Amino acid sequence: METADAKIADGGDKIIGNFPCLVLRKVNKSVMQSSVFPFAHTYNTSDGENIFNKHNQHALTSGMRMGQILVNRLQVRNDPQVTHFTRQPHGKIDRRILSQLGMDIESVFKRTTVDTYKPVLIHLSLDASGSMGGKKFSKCITVATAMAYVASKISNIDVVITLRGDSTIPVVAVVYDSRVDNFQKVRSLFPSFYAHGSTPEGLCFKATMDLITEAQGKYDMYFINFSDGEPGSSVRHKGEYKNYSGKLAEDHTRRQVHMMREAGVKILSYFITDVPMYKHNLSRIAFKNMYGEDASFVNVENVTDVLRTMNKLLLSKGA
């Protein structure tokens, strides 16, 4: 617990009551091998190969490839943009047109502006519940790897990646933070991740609200969520189980999303699916209730569209 910089935070509020949530601020191999970390699997095939490692290793390789493409496109963020304005009524004298004074030309000054991109901090929150297992989770690992790679190469982009799910209580684990971790951590840990448990959604958001908003003012902050369903979890608290699901959980999650917006965090929330979207009608309604206009619906086969969205986002002057 000390190694993981772990704490028990309250994920509830005045309306739904107290819900304890375990927050792991630091994750390494020893933490992953402990009972406090529910997102690593040791199941092996008959030939001794970890099946989750095999799938995620492919996702990791794809993510690094996508990350390099993004870095090439985003490299401009590292360079200041210098613009010269000539023939201005005031400023510094432009020696190149100084000789034109006296020929009814008085605007012989110039101004120079230097534009730089404001630093961006992206919180990438991955739903690691059991229903995300398989192709959906592998695709999310690909996107997470790509964004971690970008943060390792572009000086004014930082990325924090968390997994969320539960065991007996909700668990949020910070598995990568570009402000303190190098990319080797991604290579080392990500292949062993797998999806486990249920979906405590808003409980995890509330428990890590201080982490999400801690850089307020220093960065343009984005919270990017990947999820595949409605919130639902059974939390053991003081020897009793408390249910977190349905409209109660949806509304609680919506309140946490609103708190982020109030703190200046921009939200992008992606509903990840691997079946035709019409089969998710009820979940779509719940998702829109929680995330409003920030909700997007993405087929897992096209999840790389998310990367194109992030490319556009990070090159906008608002970022």
Side-chain angles (χ1 to χ4, degrees), residues 224-289:
I224 299 177
N225 167 52
F226 285 176
S227 180
D228 75 336
E230 304 163 53
S233 181
S234 181
V235 180
R236 187 175 181 179
H237 181 54
K238 295 182 178 180
E240 297 181 356
Y241 282 96
K242 297 179 66 176
N243 188 47
Y244 179 80
S245 62
K247 191 68 163 53
L248 183 81
E250 290 174 30
D251 290 345
H252 174 259
T253 300
R254 187 182 71 247
R255 290 194 295 273
Q256 309 320 307
V257 172
H258 179 71
M259 285 178 63
M260 291 185 213
R261 292 195 190 102
E262 290 285 295
V265 180
K266 300 176 182 68
I267 314 291
L268 295 173
S269 190
Y270 295 95
F271 185 98
I272 307 298
T273 182
D274 56 1
V275 299
M277 198 66 70
Y278 69 84
K279 293 187 177 182
H280 288 292
N281 285 340
L282 293 178
S283 293
R284 285 173 64 98
I285 294 171
F287 206 72
K288 288 289 285 186
N289 176 41

